[in-house]
Amino acid sequence: MEISILTVCYLIGSVTFILGLKMLSSSALAWKGNLIAAVGMGIAILGTIFLYEEDGVKLHNYGWIFGGIFIGTVAGYLAAKQVKMTAMPEMVSLFNGMGGACAMLISIIEFRHLVDVSGGEVHGGSLFIIILGMIIGSVSFAGSMIAWGKLSGNVKDFSFNGQHIVNLIFLGIIVVLTVMVLSGSPQEGAGYFYAILALSLFYGILFVFPIGGADMPVVISLLNSFTGVAAACGGLLYNNKVMLTGGILVGAAGTLLTILMCKAMNRSLTNVLIGSFGGASKVAAGGAAKEQGNYKEMSVSDAAMVMNYAQKVIIVPGYGLAVAQAQHTCHELENFLTAKGVDVKYAIHPVAGRMPGHMNVLLAEANISDEKMLEMELANEEFPTTDVVLILGANDVVNPAAKDDPSSPIYGMPILEVGLAKTVIMNKRSMRPGYAGIDNDLFFQPKTSMLFGDAKDVIQQILADIKSF
Amino acid sequence: MESILTWITENQQMIYIVILMIFLGIEVIGRVPSLLHTPLMSGANAIHGVVIIGAIIVMGKAESDNYPALILGFLAVILGTLNVVGGFVVTDRMLDMFKKKK
């Protein structure tokens, strides 16, 4: 009887996950979808704690279980409530790593259990699932930690010659060791098992290390789907449908999202993973930088003047806006200009920021309405009739090299064609190249004026100036 | 090899679920506008926290004197809960911003 109730709990869990993801396709319903999935998750978890039994034996160690859940809940809640909207990509990456580590630990415990129960018959299938879950879980954990470090600025890009070959060798050794564990008994294979664990963790680190910051959204999404697959391995192991559906759903969704993002950058996934962005181009860019000539600088009051008398202004936000926390000030500027009869819109590149849709979230935080946010194609249609484009801390997504320089690493990536507008104001903190490490010709074009400074400070000054007109 | 084949036969139900879920996942996500990609990723992130159920099972099965298993399991439960709670709360915060403008 109780077991059937548990089955129903799991059924509810699975259905709510699907519903939750489905409702995410509408911005008005999305919050409800998330809530529904959370409730379903709660039901599945409580059901497991109180109703799960194996061979007629119920779970015990309730003290440990509730202790762990309590600590995790408090820590997770506080962390999630306190994190700034701009630090969201790091946070998601961190939580993702936690899930991966959880899957890894489950596999380790299950393997130890197999070793302890000596003499018992071991299914090749379940042993394989345990190892697979551990490999994927630990790669996801180690990789997410590195991605987290990179996004929060604590870990720098690092690559060495022949790194891809080393990575491939690692992968090869992992496969060979897995086969060796599978062909013997768990007792004999214990040493190999822990070697696989160590290698997988190391592989996860090496795998993310060389990938440049501009490609981080792709990596996070990929690692997200890895953790999903690791969770699904747990589902196969325990014959647990809710883990299986949840895990595979996320695995498939994450993979699709990864591919969509690669498409937005017009690069293949292999290219992103193997490409070690920027590595080769830095040398060339360094040489070319001197010939690029002069850029124009603009004062704040000039910028204010130009925008005040414009009819249509499009703001292009980038990571700089996130760093400066300028979204609220930006909204204020928008309101003020709108009140003066200026048509203000935002042009959002699909991979601006450090996460897909990162800019949408930030602008939404400042209460900027969806209708003002133009997707790339629409924005490109509107640029020719635009008087002023204000670029706030975006760089690679407006770099014309993507269109006309075949030697550029971002060549072929669709960009926001800000050059079609009458005037371009580029706000940056310095002349340093963007996260991808590529020079930007846009700075040197006659239409472009540079406006140096922190995005928030600059907008505040512009706002003050406009108000004084 | 043979044991793997037997395993497939014994678990064919699960394998069907896997395949159907892959297609369902792709269908459902394919319709999400890029505007909502960040909350989507974060929401999916919370959902794979379902791995916590595995951690609870492992923890609940461990013998009370098997300290290595208890400690590892305890850690797994903490990490899994972090993933679930953190993931849903962060997603909720993001989606809340999309909601209140209406």
Side-chain angles (χ1 to χ4, degrees):
Chain A
M1 175 63 188
E2 287 191 337
I3 275 291
S4 337
I5 298 178
L6 183 59
T7 311
V8 176
C9 289
Y10 284 165
L11 193 61
I12 295 175
S14 301
V15 173
T16 55
F17 293 165
I18 300 171
L19 265 180
L21 281 183
K22 175 137 188 58
M23 286 166 91
L24 272 175
S25 51
S26 130
S27 58
L29 283 179
W31 66 277
K32 228 186 250 170
N34 184 51
L35 209 63
I36 290 177
V39 170
M41 180 76 81
I43 293 175
I45 291 176
L46 288 177
T48 311
I49 296 177
F50 293 111
L51 303 171
Y52 186 88
E53 53 185 68
E54 202 171 276
D55 307 324
V57 184
K58 287 235 173 175
L59 295 178
H60 43 100
N61 299 323
Y62 279 138
W64 289 84
I65 295 178
F66 283 115
I69 292 184
F70 178 74
I71 297 176
T73 307
V74 173
Y77 184 81
L78 289 181
K81 274 286 177 195
Q82 279 166 2
V83 65
K84 290 206 176 85
M85 272 302 147
T86 43
M88 224 38 119
E90 286 101 295
M91 206 67 210
V92 172
S93 181
L94 186 66
F95 288 140
N96 184 46
M98 299 295 106
C102 181
M104 172 184 85
L105 289 173
I106 294 171
S107 285
I108 297 175
I109 302 170
E110 282 298 329
F111 184 78
R112 289 174 48 93
H113 188 67
L114 284 183
V115 174
D116 287 346
V117 191
S118 49
E121 202 158 300
V122 180
H123 249 299
S126 30
L127 187 55
F128 176 66
I129 290 296
I130 290 177
I131 298 178
L132 191 66
M134 182 192 70
I135 297 175
I136 303 175
S138 36
V139 169
S140 173
F141 166 59
S144 300
M145 288 302 110
I146 297 295
W148 171 62
K150 279 194 169 199
L151 288 168
S152 53
N154 295 323
V155 178
K156 294 275 161 278
D157 292 1
F158 166 81
S159 60
F160 52 87
N161 282 338
Q163 179 153 15
H164 312 310
I165 299 167
V166 174
N167 282 3
L168 278 180
I169 293 173
F170 264 66
L171 212 55
I173 301 176
I174 291 175
V175 172
V176 170
L177 287 177
T178 308
V179 172
M180 284 167 83
V181 178
L182 285 176
S183 55
S185 73
Q187 287 82 359
E188 293 159 5
Y192 297 138
F193 180 83
Y194 292 112
I196 299 177
L197 171 64
L199 282 175
S200 310
L201 285 171
F202 207 61
Y203 179 77
I205 296 174
L206 282 183
F207 161 69
V208 179
F209 242 130
I211 300 176
D215 289 339
M216 265 311 137
V218 182
V219 177
I220 297 182
S221 170
L222 189 69
L223 291 173
N224 202 9
S225 72
F226 276 8
T227 312
V229 176
C233 285
L236 285 175
L237 186 61
Y238 298 117
N239 201 4
N240 185 313
K241 310 276 193 302
V242 75
M243 284 174 80
L244 187 67
T245 41
I248 293 291
L249 206 56
V250 175
T255 311
L256 181 72
L257 198 56
T258 312
I259 295 171
L260 285 180
M261 267 185 277
C262 286
K263 271 196 193 143
M265 301 195 292
N266 195 26
R267 297 168 62 200
S268 72
L269 183 57
T270 0
N271 185 276
V272 171
L273 297 182
I274 298 186
S276 290
F277 219 48
S281 70
K282 259 174 199 151
V283 190
K290 289 186 194 94
E291 314 158 12
Q292 264 168 334
N294 302 321
Y295 55 86
K296 251 190 336 220
E297 222 184 308
M298 190 182 227
S299 70
V300 169
S301 48
D302 284 346
M305 183 95 75
V306 173
M307 286 168 76
N308 193 41
Y309 294 111
Q311 291 193 327
K312 187 157 151 193
V313 173
I314 293 189
I315 299 177
V316 179
Y319 192 58
L321 176 101
V323 174
Q325 298 270 355
Q327 63 272 35
H328 296 283
T329 336
C330 199
H331 184 46
E332 234 181 288
L333 178 68
E334 172 209 321
N335 281 344
F336 201 79
L337 287 173
T338 313
K340 288 207 158 197
V342 184
D343 181 15
V344 185
K345 289 201 176 106
Y346 297 85
I348 297 176
H349 191 278
V351 293
R354 293 289 178 268
M355 244 176 135
H358 191 179
M359 291 302 125
N360 300 92
V361 173
L362 279 183
L363 297 183
E365 191 199 3
N367 272 334
I368 294 168
S369 95
D370 296 1
E371 289 102 58
K372 296 234 164 212
M373 304 182 200
L374 301 175
E375 286 188 25
M376 183 169 57
E377 290 79 17
L378 274 176
N380 281 341
E381 282 170 25
E382 296 222 7
F383 283 131
T385 56
T386 305
D387 301 307
V388 180
V389 170
L390 175 64
I391 302 173
L392 295 171
N395 190 346
D396 299 322
V397 296
V398 292
N399 191 338
K403 281 195 74 177
D404 35 60
D405 179 8
S407 68
S408 168
I410 57 166
Y411 181 67
M413 172 170 110
I415 53 161
L416 289 167
E417 294 172 33
V418 292
L420 299 173
K422 293 197 186 81
T423 315
V424 177
I425 303 175
M426 180 95 189
N427 166 244
K428 266 174 75 57
R429 275 173 301 178
S430 66
M431 278 304 284
R432 286 204 354 240
Y435 211 101
I438 315 160
D439 275 317
N440 195 337
D441 278 337
L442 183 69
F443 304 167
F444 309 104
Q445 287 176 359
K447 270 182 194 173
T448 314
S449 305
M450 304 299 292
L451 181 56
F452 292 115
D454 174 88
K456 191 175 179 177
D457 297 343
V458 166
I459 304 175
Q460 270 165 349
Q461 289 165 21
I462 293 180
L463 201 56
D465 262 39
I466 292 184
K467 279 180 184 165
S468 68
F469 283 141
Chain B
M1 188 66 211
E2 205 185 304
S3 65
I4 292 180
L5 278 180
T6 350
W7 183 85
I8 290 180
T9 322
E10 281 170 7
N11 292 282
Q12 47 171 310
Q13 226 191 18
M14 304 296 263
I15 294 164
Y16 273 103
I17 296 182
V18 169
I19 294 167
L20 291 177
M21 277 300 142
I22 292 176
F23 282 100
L24 187 65
I26 291 176
E27 267 315 298
V28 168
I29 301 311
R31 289 162 210 270
V32 176
S34 65
L35 164 80
L36 289 167
H37 273 173
T38 293
L40 168 71
M41 197 143 90
S42 157
N45 180 40
I47 289 176
H48 70 48
V50 72
V51 69
I52 172 81
I53 289 180
I56 294 174
I57 294 177
V58 129
M59 177 93 246
K61 283 195 312 187
E63 292 84 12
S64 318
D65 54 351
N66 186 354
Y67 286 104
L70 284 177
I71 291 169
L72 289 178
F74 185 58
L75 265 179
V77 172
I78 294 181
L79 296 179
T81 318
L82 262 176
N83 187 178
V84 172
V85 176
F88 279 123
V89 174
V90 159
T91 314
D92 186 61
R93 270 187 62 193
M94 280 188 230
L95 292 173
D96 209 37
M97 301 173 322
F98 284 96
K99 175 179 67 175
K100 66 188 172 195
K101 297 187 310 283
K102 292 277 135 60

